[in-house]
Amino acid sequence: MTIRPRRSALYMPASNAKAIDKARTLDCDVVILDLEDAVAPEMKAEARAAAVAAVAAGGFGRRELVIRTNGLDTPWGADDLAAAAAARPDAILVPKVNDGADVATYANATGAVPLWVMIETTRSVFRLDEIGAALAKARGGAFVLGTNDLAKEMGARPGTLRAPFQGMLAMAVAAARAHGLVPLDGVFNGLDDEAGLAEQCAQGLEFGFDGKTLIHPRQIGPCNAAFTPDAAAIAWARAIVAAFAEPDNAQKGAIRVDGKMVERLHLAQAERDLAVAAWAEG
């Protein structure tokens, strides 16, 4: 199984040519060319053309390139989806999905391109398993949390540790994992709050997110550091992999490693940690 780290996913306004050029040099794992929130209405068509041109031009290296479109309930959504599907980025991210029917509608519009969905409406919170099942059926993809929109709909004031959202965050990760999808955490708004960003990244890691969406390049380094296994985690992962590789343990479901009981589920996590660490070094 190929493991592709997505520790840091940076939103970049597709209407900003300098931002797109800069994205080709940044150390993020994912670049999301945004046609939605970051683009003014009068710039939508120009941003769409720029995103398509950026995909065609390439130059993003190993970074995953995603286009976030406007919704089908907007004047720009249908054209965005048609253009993005023809451009064939690594994935198309769509906003404000409410249920499995929405996923199916977007899947029909995006053709063979993998589909990612924003989990950012109160309705979606009660349909996470349904959305996950539909997305897995439709070449998914990823759950991307849109916590700012959730806060707006709820009238919530979440703070750094997002007390009003903790149940939703856990359920979103569980639904994503249940259907083989990637869960990505929402953005952190405090551009100058390095301590707050580190705290929220650590929380996202605890919940089981693969990484976090970001709104500024200065957030990439701290986010990558948080979602990259540290030296102790790498050493432990290597010990687990080596132990299961021993001939006597080949058929065992659980073994003893350094005085601890370890199961094959821990082997899968160890292999993922080593893959992420190798990516970070690469």
Side-chain angles (χ1 to χ4, degrees):
M1 179 180 66
T2 300
I3 297 171
R4 183 167 191 170
R6 297 177 175 98
R7 301 165 299 168
S8 50
L10 178 66
Y11 289 110
M12 286 294 214
S15 55
N16 187 330
K18 289 184 178 179
I20 292 176
D21 286 341
K22 185 174 184 179
R24 293 181 169 95
T25 69
L26 297 173
D27 195 29
C28 53
D29 294 335
V30 183
V31 174
I32 302 174
L33 300 178
D34 191 14
L35 307 181
E36 195 206 15
D37 289 344
V39 179
E42 64 272 15
M43 296 293 291
K44 296 289 189 181
E46 181 179 331
R48 182 189 308 128
V52 169
V55 175
F60 290 89
R62 65 178 188 170
R63 299 165 192 84
E64 200 165 8
L65 188 59
V66 179
I67 295 177
R68 178 166 74 165
T69 70
N70 289 279
L72 282 172
D73 59 344
T74 72
W76 315 284
D79 288 340
D80 285 353
L81 287 161
R88 298 183 67 86
D90 293 308
I92 295 172
L93 173 60
V94 296
K96 297 179 176 60
V97 166
N98 288 312
D99 51 32
D102 282 351
V103 173
T105 299
Y106 278 111
N108 287 334
T110 52
V113 181
L115 182 64
W116 294 12
V117 301
M118 297 291 302
I119 302 298
E120 57 183 348
T121 71
T122 49
R123 285 183 62 193
S124 70
V125 170
F126 297 98
R127 297 168 173 84
L128 291 168
D129 185 63
E130 174 188 330
I131 293 169
L135 188 57
K137 185 178 179 181
R139 306 171 315 282
F143 275 10
V144 181
L145 273 290
T147 44
N148 282 338
D149 282 272
L150 274 171
K152 179 181 178 181
E153 281 200 18
M154 292 173 59
R157 300 179 182 181
T160 299
L161 290 181
R162 304 176 290 183
F165 294 161
Q166 289 183 13
M168 302 177 206
L169 297 175
M171 291 300 292
V173 172
R177 298 297 186 199
H179 296 287
L181 308 172
V182 172
L184 295 179
D185 200 359
V187 301
F188 180 72
N189 298 319
L191 293 178
D192 298 319
D193 185 0
E194 294 183 5
L197 174 61
E199 191 173 22
Q200 198 170 98
C201 284
Q203 183 195 42
L205 182 67
E206 289 178 350
F207 273 110
F209 285 101
D210 276 16
K212 190 169 182 65
T213 48
L214 308 174
I215 55 175
H216 196 281
R218 76 180 64 168
Q219 297 177 323
I220 295 171
C223 186
N224 282 349
F227 286 94
T228 301
D230 60 19
I234 292 170
W236 177 239
R238 286 174 175 161
I240 292 174
V241 171
F244 272 107
E246 294 178 7
D248 289 347
N249 296 331
Q251 303 302 319
K252 293 181 179 179
I255 60 175
R256 181 185 178 96
V257 181
D258 294 343
K260 297 180 180 179
M261 192 276 287
V262 175
E263 301 179 46
R264 287 202 171 268
L265 62 90
H266 299 112
L267 174 61
Q269 182 60 53
E271 290 171 339
R272 183 184 186 282
D273 283 350
L274 293 178
V276 173
W279 178 276
E281 292 174 0

